Amino acid sequence: MSGINFLNRFASFLLIIGAGSSCGLKYVPGPSLEDLAKNRKEALEQKLAQDFGAVNKRYVSLTYGETVVVKPQSYQRLDSLFEEKYRLSKLGLSTKEIDPLIETQKMALLADTTEVLYMETHWFELIQDTTCEFIIAQCFLNNRNVLRKMEYIDEFQTGKSNKIWAEKYMKEDWFTRNMDGFTSNDDLAFYSMMKNKEFGLKDEEKHKFLNNVFLVMRFAAENQSTAPQGIALKLAARQMKMEIPGFKTSDYVFSFRKDTDPLSKETVYVVEAVLEADKNVMVTRRYDSFYMPLD
């Protein structure tokens, strides 16, 4: 009996130890969606920095759009079947016809080697010598954060003198008023107008347009306003200074008006500058609604 009692006491002791040990176990949750997204972007940035660094270009991450999950057809088909089953269940209808289809599709999914990819729309900058290249790309990564492919949506180059304005333009950051870190509606409307125009341009035409956009942004920042009058007046004064020897803004009286082109019916900004010393001398400069010079 003593042996049995010992075994019983020993078993009880083990149970106590086991109970104590199990109390110490804690549930460790997996990474959150935010953590997964953060890890994916960090892996992408490390890859791009390495790849572009190999060709002597310094990579700078600017911003991201929303993540889009790109599923193979087999996954999409299964999702559709589950959606249909949910719809039937909500209506109180039988799902016996769709259940076998779901099981069949599950088997098809297991045999599908096509990866689920995560598409990150990424804005970034490449710096080399005196040139800055700005790129918007769609980057496709698998669930192991391996970059599978990258497609450029838009790109342009500019000099370092426009670097700060190009970065703001890409990120749609504020440039007239700092609204506690938020971009004002006026600035957003400006970006929308300019980017819709820019995406339709190519090569030298695009280069000229963007250089003018950055100049306009600088003038709007100085004025703390995107109002056309203040921008057009500064553009005209700059243009006249480049064209007229000995030009001084104080020698002229400037006026502004908004016109409509009789042929295109589009808005035209007109600046007239009259020489104070000789009222018969008047210089006119015109700009389209994107502030591109027409004269």
Side-chain angles (χ1 to χ4, degrees):
M1 290 293 295
S2 61
I4 294 174
N5 288 335
F6 171 76
L7 290 175
N8 287 337
R9 289 197 300 273
F10 183 69
S12 299
F13 177 69
L14 290 178
L15 287 173
I16 293 172
I17 292 177
S21 300
S22 63
C23 290
L25 294 176
K26 293 182 179 179
Y27 168 68
V28 180
S32 65
L33 291 177
E34 291 78 8
D35 289 337
L36 291 172
K38 180 174 179 289
N39 294 338
R40 185 166 54 248
K41 289 171 182 175
E42 286 178 350
L44 173 61
E45 291 174 9
Q46 290 173 6
K47 173 65 173 172
L48 295 180
Q50 179 182 356
D51 288 353
F52 287 115
V55 291
N56 298 318
K57 293 184 178 182
R58 182 164 66 87
Y59 159 84
V60 179
S61 173
L62 294 177
T63 189
Y64 287 88
E66 293 185 4
T67 303
V68 176
V69 181
V70 183
K71 295 182 178 181
Q73 287 295 326
S74 57
Y75 284 78
Q76 296 178 33
R77 175 63 176 158
L78 185 60
D79 287 346
S80 298
L81 290 172
F82 273 119
E83 288 174 5
E84 180 62 14
K85 179 175 180 176
Y86 177 75
R87 186 187 70 82
L88 292 172
S89 299
K90 290 283 287 185
L91 294 173
L93 301 175
S94 172
T95 63
K96 66 178 182 179
E97 292 185 2
I98 203 169
D99 287 338
L101 297 177
I102 290 176
E103 294 307 313
T104 300
Q105 191 58 35
K106 284 181 180 178
M107 297 303 295
L109 187 149
L110 291 174
D112 190 349
T113 58
T114 308
E115 293 180 306
V116 174
L117 297 177
Y118 298 86
M119 186 189 78
E120 300 285 358
T121 303
H122 185 29
W123 285 252
F124 60 92
E125 175 183 0
L126 301 175
I127 302 172
Q128 186 177 39
D129 300 327
T130 60
T131 302
C132 299
E133 184 178 0
F134 292 86
I135 296 168
I136 306 175
Q138 289 178 332
C139 306
F140 297 82
L141 298 93
N142 64 14
N143 58 6
R144 299 185 305 279
N145 295 335
V146 176
L147 179 62
R148 288 307 194 193
K149 64 176 179 177
M150 183 167 66
E151 299 172 350
Y152 284 11
I153 300 175
D154 190 32
E155 62 178 316
F156 64 86
Q157 290 186 354
T158 189
K160 284 192 175 181
S161 60
N162 283 325
K163 182 177 184 294
I164 184 174
W165 303 106
E167 288 176 350
K168 286 181 176 292
Y169 179 80
M170 290 290 276
K171 295 187 295 182
E172 297 191 1
D173 198 2
W174 63 273
F175 61 93
T176 58
R177 299 177 183 85
N178 183 357
M179 307 292 287
D180 296 325
F182 295 97
T183 306
S184 71
N185 289 333
D186 288 345
D187 289 3
L188 289 175
F190 177 90
Y191 285 130
S192 177
M193 179 180 73
M194 294 303 185
K195 288 187 175 183
N196 286 336
K197 175 72 172 178
E198 177 234 322
F199 286 159
L201 303 177
K202 293 183 179 180
D203 303 328
E204 186 60 26
E205 188 179 11
K206 183 173 189 172
H207 179 73
K208 288 181 179 179
F209 178 79
L210 283 171
N211 280 342
N212 198 65
V213 168
F214 303 145
L215 179 63
V216 170
M217 289 173 66
R218 182 155 50 239
F219 288 156
E222 291 173 1
N223 296 340
Q224 281 297 286
S225 171
T226 57
Q229 179 171 343
I231 294 171
L233 289 173
K234 287 200 169 188
L235 284 171
R238 180 181 182 274
Q239 191 176 355
M240 290 168 66
K241 185 176 182 180
M242 295 172 64
E243 298 170 351
I244 301 173
F247 170 82
K248 293 181 181 179
T249 305
S250 58
D251 292 341
Y252 292 81
V253 176
F254 288 80
S255 63
F256 167 86
R257 73 173 186 273
K258 188 184 295 186
D259 244 340
T260 302
D261 186 283
L263 297 177
S264 66
K265 306 301 181 184
E266 294 182 351
T267 298
V268 175
Y269 301 133
V270 181
V271 176
E272 293 178 342
V274 177
L275 187 64
E276 284 200 280
D278 186 350
K279 304 299 183 183
N280 293 319
V281 177
M282 183 176 70
V283 180
T284 302
R285 292 290 177 266
R286 301 182 310 133
Y287 304 90
D288 66 15
S289 57
F290 300 98
Y291 302 102
M292 292 294 289
L294 297 172
D295 299 309

